[in-house]
Amino acid sequence: MNNAAPKTGLKRAKPKETFDFFHDARVRSVFYQLITAGLFGLLMWYLVTNTSQNLQARGMSTGFGFLNTTAGFDIDFKLIDYTPGKGTYGRIFVIGALNTLLVSFMAIILSTALGFLVGVLRLSNNWLVSKVALSFVEIFRNTPLLIQIVFWYIGVFAVLPAVKMTIDLSLGAKMLLLNNRGLYMATPIMGGLFWMTLVALGVALAGVYLLRRRARKLQESSGKQTKTLIPSLGLLVLLPSAVFILTGRPLSWDMPTLQGFNFAGGTSLPPAFLALIVSLSIYHAAQIAEAVRAGILSVSKGQKEAALSIGLKPARVMAMVVIPQAMPAIVPPMISQWMTTVKNSSLAIAIGYADIVSLFMQTTLNQIGHAVELVGMTMAFYMVISLSISGLLNIYNKRVQLVER
C-alpha cells in the first residue's frame, strides 16, 4: 500500500519578505555594534592624545627605550642573574615577573591542597574536627589579607631565633635551616648521568598511569577492583632508585654553611617571601574550603548511600563518587580564587618582597619616570596571567561538567 501523498504540482507560496532598515534585527545588531566600536575608538583616541599632550607640556619623555637603560640598584631575591650597574630595566621587569609568578604558583598549589583538606574536614562527623575546620575558615576568611601578611612577617618570621640559634628543620642533617634571616636549603647539584634517573622516573610515571588505566577499565567491565597503590609506589621508588645506584649516584648537595655572621651556599628564601607564601596560602585556602564544602553538599545523599551500600569504604566513596560529582560546582569559584591569588600577590609591596609591583612600579618609577609605560606593562602582565588561568581552567571546567542528553 502506497501512503505517499499525491503530487498535485502546486507549490506553497512563500510570504513576501519586506526589508525595513529600522525594524530588521540583523541591521539593528550591526548598527549598534558599529556605534559602540566608534564610541570606544573615540574614547581611546581622546585618552591617548590628551595623555601625549600633557606629557609633552611637562617635558616628560615617552617610549620604551628606557628598558635598555642600565639599572643601578640591587635585588635581594632573584631567580636569574643580575648585576647592579650592568643589568637593564628590561631585566628588572623580567625578574619582578618571575618573582610574582613563583610566589603565585606556590601559593595556588598550597592553598588548593589545604582548601580541599579543610573543606572535607568541615563536613566531618567528628565534632572537634569540624569545629577546628570551621574556626580556621572563619578566622582567616574574615580577616583582611594585608593584616595577615604583616602579621606573619612581623609577628612570626621576624621573631625567629638569630643566626647562631638557627632551627634545623631537617633533624640534624643541616639541609633545612630556619632563622630570622630566612630559610636556607641544600641545593642539589646534578652529575652527568643524572638524566638517566630522570628518564627512569618518567618511565615509572608512565607505568603507573597505564597500571591505573588498566585497573579502571577492568573495574568498568567486570566490577572487579584492583589495588594499584602498592604496585605504583613500588614502581615509583624502585625503578629510579635502581638506576640512580647503578649510575654511581650522580647527585651531590651544596650545603648551607655558617660563614661569619650568616650562612653561605645552598638556596635561601627571605622572610618576606615566606610570609607572603604562608599568608596567601592560608587566606585563599579558607575561601577554597567553602567552595569545596558547597560542592560536596550539592551532591545528592543518595549517591553516597548507594556507594556505601555496595561495600565501598567512606574514603573511596569521597574520592570516587562525591568529589568527581562535586567538581562542576567547585571549579568556577576556584578559577576566581586562583586569579585573585595572582593579583593579591601585589600586596607584597607592604613587606618589601621583590615582586613586579615593588621593582617596576616603585623603584623603577621613582628612578626614571615613564609612569604610563610602567603602569601599562604591569597591567598587561597581570591581565595576561589572569586570562591564561581563566582560559585553562575553563577548558578543564568543560571537561568535568555533567553532560545532559
Side-chain angles (χ1 to χ4, degrees):
M1 183 178 181
N2 187 8
N3 295 327
K7 296 182 179 179
T8 59
L10 298 178
K11 295 182 179 179
R12 176 177 291 181
K14 296 182 179 179
K16 185 178 180 181
E17 294 183 357
T18 58
F19 176 75
D20 190 333
F21 182 84
F22 295 101
H23 294 87
D24 189 279
R26 293 169 296 178
V27 173
R28 285 204 307 272
S29 175
V30 173
F31 178 73
Y32 292 146
Q33 291 183 52
L34 290 175
I35 291 293
T36 303
L39 291 175
F40 179 75
L42 185 63
L43 176 63
M44 294 303 297
W45 174 82
Y46 171 77
L47 290 176
V48 171
T49 54
N50 187 49
T51 303
S52 178
Q53 290 175 359
N54 288 334
L55 290 175
Q56 290 179 0
R58 298 182 182 183
M60 299 174 65
S61 59
T62 59
F64 293 92
F66 69 91
L67 293 175
N68 296 321
T69 305
T70 302
F73 62 93
D74 198 3
I75 304 171
D76 60 346
F77 182 74
K78 47 188 175 292
L79 299 177
I80 59 176
D81 292 334
Y82 166 80
T83 303
K86 295 182 178 178
T88 63
Y89 286 107
R91 198 167 187 82
I92 293 291
F93 177 80
V94 176
I95 292 173
L98 291 176
N99 288 352
T100 298
L101 291 176
L102 175 66
V103 75
S104 301
F105 176 75
M106 294 186 65
I108 285 173
I109 298 297
L110 294 175
S111 63
T112 304
L114 183 60
F116 263 83
L117 177 63
V118 175
V120 173
L121 295 179
R122 180 88 165 74
L123 298 172
S124 172
N125 294 325
N126 187 302
W127 183 86
L128 181 59
V129 171
S130 65
K131 295 306 176 187
V132 170
L134 172 63
S135 302
F136 174 88
V137 171
E138 295 301 331
I139 290 174
F140 292 105
R141 189 182 61 167
N142 297 314
T143 308
L145 176 58
L146 180 59
I147 294 178
Q148 293 188 36
I149 293 174
V150 174
F151 166 76
W152 284 103
Y153 183 67
I154 297 178
V156 177
F157 291 102
V159 297
L160 287 173
V163 174
K164 292 186 177 179
M165 302 294 292
T166 296
I167 302 172
D168 188 357
L169 300 178
S170 57
L171 304 177
K174 296 184 178 180
M175 299 184 69
L176 203 60
L177 306 172
L178 181 66
N179 57 45
N180 60 2
R181 294 188 179 182
L183 180 66
Y184 297 84
M185 302 176 293
T187 305
I189 301 176
M190 302 178 186
L193 297 177
F194 189 75
W195 64 272
M196 297 181 68
T197 303
L198 296 178
V199 171
L201 179 62
V203 172
L205 289 173
V208 170
Y209 171 75
L210 295 176
L211 194 66
R212 294 177 63 85
R213 183 180 178 185
R214 179 177 175 275
R216 186 172 62 252
K217 287 188 174 180
L218 181 62
Q219 182 179 3
E220 292 174 354
S221 60
S222 64
K224 182 181 179 181
Q225 295 183 8
T226 305
K227 294 182 179 180
T228 59
L229 178 60
I230 295 178
S232 299
L233 291 177
L235 190 60
L236 286 174
V237 174
L238 294 180
L239 182 58
S241 300
V243 174
F244 179 72
I245 294 173
L246 292 175
T247 53
R249 302 180 179 182
L251 183 67
S252 58
W253 296 90
D254 180 17
M255 303 291 289
T257 54
L258 185 60
Q259 295 180 1
F261 298 101
N262 203 355
F263 284 92
T267 302
S268 62
L269 299 175
F273 177 86
L274 301 175
L276 191 61
I277 283 287
V278 173
S279 54
L280 283 174
S281 301
I282 292 179
Y283 177 79
H284 288 285
Q287 317 285 340
I288 293 175
E290 284 301 275
V292 171
R293 184 176 70 90
I296 293 175
L297 291 177
S298 69
V299 179
S300 170
K301 290 184 179 179
Q303 297 288 326
K304 182 179 179 181
E305 293 172 355
L308 290 172
S309 66
I310 62 175
L312 289 178
K313 295 181 179 179
R316 293 182 67 85
V317 172
M318 182 63 70
M320 299 177 61
V321 178
V322 178
I323 294 296
Q325 295 189 69
M327 288 306 291
I330 294 174
V331 172
M334 197 168 67
I335 296 174
S336 177
Q337 287 302 318
W338 284 18
M339 295 167 59
T340 308
T341 301
V342 177
K343 289 179 281 189
N344 279 343
S345 67
S346 62
L347 294 174
I349 194 173
I351 56 175
Y353 175 66
D355 74 325
I356 190 171
V357 176
S358 175
L359 290 178
F360 210 55
M361 290 191 58
Q362 188 181 49
T363 307
T364 303
L365 179 61
N366 290 335
Q367 290 189 357
I368 64 169
H370 291 274
V372 176
E373 293 86 347
L374 295 176
V375 174
M377 291 178 66
T378 307
M379 290 176 63
F381 167 77
Y382 281 107
M383 186 179 68
V384 169
I385 299 301
S386 297
L387 290 177
S388 301
I389 293 175
S390 177
L392 292 175
L393 283 183
N394 278 325
I395 294 174
Y396 175 73
N397 187 37
K398 289 182 180 178
R399 295 186 60 183
V400 299
Q401 290 295 321
L402 298 177
V403 179
E404 297 182 356
R405 300 179 185 277

